[in-house]
């Protein structure tokens, strides 16, 4: 009756969370299309919009849902993720404790505050709030300058790499880190470990609902790609 009286613009779906909101979106799409409506509202519109846009542009499919293979990694970069409280993977607290207690594995936490997860970190990068994108650009620039990037992966699995390399060449790394409030030597060592070990990034609302969140998501993908960490 509403559809007949007011048309498809009068109908929308309010979806819930869970699994990045993509499950509800996938199952509700055909229903909305059959009604002629295009209005779908979920938490994706608040915190995942930029990330999904970036993955669509980088990988050609916005529905890709990437997640760290936490059972096999040697180093986890927790970027704006307080997993001890927010979880985000099976048995998160057990995983964080085992990662912290294993001398052969490393937990790096990027968070302005000493969060519950940061208490278990081997390295806590307490950066200036809102400077996450600047830190990621610094890390990419350091890895490229030191030659720690995975050239064979870039040659085999990417296109357009030469178009973005100028953004990172001759970048004033130390000046940028002063804005981040971090020490160069510590960040350089994190870069070396990330590039040389089986590493992954776990990011969450600390960056997804912060300044420059879409740019942060893009720089995350670049960092993973130059180290050959996608699909490995």
């Amino acid at each position: 009756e509403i559809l007949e009286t007011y048309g498809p613009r009068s109908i929308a779906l309010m979806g819930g969370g869970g699994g990045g909101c993509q499950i509800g979106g996938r199952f509700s799409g055909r229903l909305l299309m059959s009604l002629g409506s295009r209005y779908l509202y979920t938490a994706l519109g608040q915190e995942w919009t930029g990330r999904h846009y970036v993955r669509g542009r980088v990988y050609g499919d916005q529905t890709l849902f990437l997640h760290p293979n936490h059972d096999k990694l040697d180093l986890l970069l927790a970027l704006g993720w307080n997993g001890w409280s927010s979880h985000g993977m099976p048995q998160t607290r057990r995983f964080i404790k085992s990662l912290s207690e294993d001398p052969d594995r490393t937990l790096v936490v990027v968070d302005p505050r000493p969060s519950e997860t940061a208490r278990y970190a081997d390295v806590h990068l307490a950066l200036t709030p809102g400077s996450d994108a600047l830190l990621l650009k610094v890390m990419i620039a350091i890895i490229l300058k030191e030659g720690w990037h995975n050239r064979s992966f870039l040659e085999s699995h990417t296109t357009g790499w030469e178009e973005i390399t100028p953004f990172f060449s001759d970048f004033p790394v130390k000046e940028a880190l002063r804005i981040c409030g971090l020490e160069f030597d510590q960040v350089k060592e994190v870069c070396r470990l990330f590039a040389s070990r089986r590493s992954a990034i776990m990011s969450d609302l600390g960056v997804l609902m912060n300044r420059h969140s879409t740019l942060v998501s893009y720089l995350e993908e670049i960092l993973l790609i130059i180290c050959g960490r996608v699909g490995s």
Side-chain angles (χ1 to χ4, degrees):
E1 182 179 346
I2 292 173
L3 183 63
E4 292 175 353
T5 303
Y6 301 102
R9 292 175 62 89
S10 63
I11 297 177
L13 176 69
M14 180 66 72
C21 311
Q22 82 278 20
I23 296 175
R26 176 71 76 181
F27 283 96
S28 63
R30 290 186 180 276
L31 172 61
L32 284 173
M33 289 174 61
S34 68
L35 297 173
S37 173
R38 300 177 60 185
Y39 302 117
L40 170 62
Y41 302 96
T42 71
L44 174 61
Q46 301 179 58
E47 63 199 45
W48 279 72
T49 312
R51 172 171 285 176
H52 275 254
Y53 171 79
V54 165
R55 288 179 176 170
R57 297 289 292 176
V58 173
Y59 303 114
D61 187 348
Q62 246 183 353
T63 63
L64 281 176
F65 189 79
L66 308 182
H67 200 274
N69 191 342
H70 59 283
D71 290 326
K72 295 184 178 181
L73 57 80
D74 295 321
L75 182 147
L76 180 66
L77 181 68
L79 181 65
W81 175 64
N82 184 18
W84 191 264
S85 296
S86 63
H87 305 282
M89 60 178 64
Q91 301 183 349
T92 307
R93 292 188 175 185
R94 182 176 295 176
F95 165 70
I96 290 173
K97 287 189 68 175
S98 65
L99 187 63
S100 175
E101 294 168 357
D102 190 334
D104 297 322
R105 305 173 84 195
T106 304
L107 174 60
V108 179
V109 172
V110 179
D111 198 315
R113 66 188 188 91
S115 66
E116 293 83 356
T117 305
R119 296 171 189 169
Y120 290 90
D122 298 287
V123 180
H124 177 203
L125 299 178
L127 78 174
T128 303
S131 62
D132 310 87
L134 195 57
L135 173 60
L136 288 174
K137 187 171 183 180
V138 164
M139 293 180 66
I140 295 167
I142 290 175
I143 290 172
L144 294 176
K145 182 177 180 180
E146 297 295 329
W148 294 334
H149 51 297
N150 190 326
R151 293 179 178 83
S152 61
F153 185 90
L154 289 170
E155 292 173 0
S156 302
H157 299 288
T158 66
T159 59
W161 172 241
E162 64 284 350
E163 298 175 19
I164 66 170
T165 49
F167 294 120
F168 304 100
S169 59
D170 300 321
F171 183 64
V173 166
K174 293 186 178 180
E175 290 83 350
L177 286 177
R178 278 197 285 270
I179 296 174
C180 295
L182 300 173
E183 296 293 330
F184 171 76
D185 290 340
Q186 185 181 45
V187 173
K188 183 178 180 180
E189 178 61 11
V190 168
C191 292
R192 185 189 68 81
L193 292 172
F194 191 91
S196 61
R197 308 184 70 186
R198 292 181 299 178
S199 53
I201 300 174
M202 184 70 180
S203 63
D204 205 354
L205 300 187
V207 292
L208 293 177
M209 300 188 74
N210 202 340
R211 298 175 61 192
H212 315 301
S213 63
T214 302
L215 177 59
V216 169
S217 294
Y218 181 49
L219 293 171
E220 279 185 55
E221 301 304 328
I222 293 176
L223 179 57
L224 290 168
I225 288 168
I226 65 171
C227 295
R229 297 293 178 262
V230 177
S232 60

